[in-house]
Amino acid sequence: MIEVSRNRFEELVSEALDTIPPELAKVMDNVVVVVVDDPPEQGLLGLYTGIPLTERGDWYSGVLPDRIEIYRNPTLEICETEDDVVEEVQITVVHEIAHHFGIDDERLHELGW
C-alpha cells in the first residue's frame, strides 16, 4: 500500500478527467465526479450512480446530477507506487465515465477495460 494525500489523489483524478477526449467531454451532461475515501461496499474502486445518457428522454429535466465516485483508500491499498495509482485512477475514471455513456461492465470487459 502507498500513501497519497487526499489533495494529491484529487489532482490525479482531475488529471485523468483531463485526458478524456474533448468530443466526449463536451457531451457529458449533468454529472459530478468526486473523491470519496471509502466505498459503500468492499471491492469497489469507483461507482457511477445516475441515469446514463442513453436512457435519458424528453422527460429528463430538473434531476440531480449523476455522480461518479472514485474511492481513494481501496485504490491505495492495491497500489505500490504513485505510477500504479495514476494508472488505476485513469482506468477507474474511464470505466465510470463509460457507465455515464451507457456502456455496461460486460461491454467494457469485451473492450479490455
Side-chain angles (χ1 to χ4, degrees):
M1 180 171 155
I2 183 172
E3 283 297 319
V4 174
S5 73
R6 184 176 179 89
N7 285 343
R8 178 64 180 139
F9 193 87
E10 288 173 351
E11 288 173 2
L12 295 176
V13 170
S14 180
E15 290 169 8
L17 288 167
D18 288 344
T19 67
I20 302 301
E23 59 273 11
L24 292 180
K26 192 172 16 175
V27 296
M28 289 178 65
D29 183 45
N30 200 29
V31 61
V32 62
V33 179
V34 296
V35 170
V36 177
D37 284 336
D38 296 303
E41 62 184 72
Q42 194 171 10
L44 293 178
L45 300 181
L47 181 66
Y48 167 77
T49 306
I51 302 167
L53 294 174
T54 54
E55 295 179 18
R56 297 179 185 179
D58 294 338
W59 56 268
Y60 185 85
S61 74
V63 299
L64 292 174
D66 291 3
R67 183 174 172 98
I68 293 174
E69 295 180 348
I70 307 299
Y71 300 116
R72 180 175 162 265
N73 288 332
T75 302
L76 298 180
E77 287 173 8
I78 65 168
C79 294
E80 295 180 13
T81 67
E82 188 165 315
D83 286 343
D84 293 343
V85 177
V86 169
E87 181 179 356
E88 203 58 58
V89 165
Q90 178 70 41
I91 291 167
T92 304
V93 166
V94 167
H95 186 99
E96 301 310 327
I97 287 174
H99 290 322
H100 177 67
F101 282 98
I103 302 170
D104 64 16
D105 283 332
E106 182 178 332
R107 180 65 179 137
L108 282 167
H109 291 295
E110 288 172 5
L111 294 170
W113 291 95

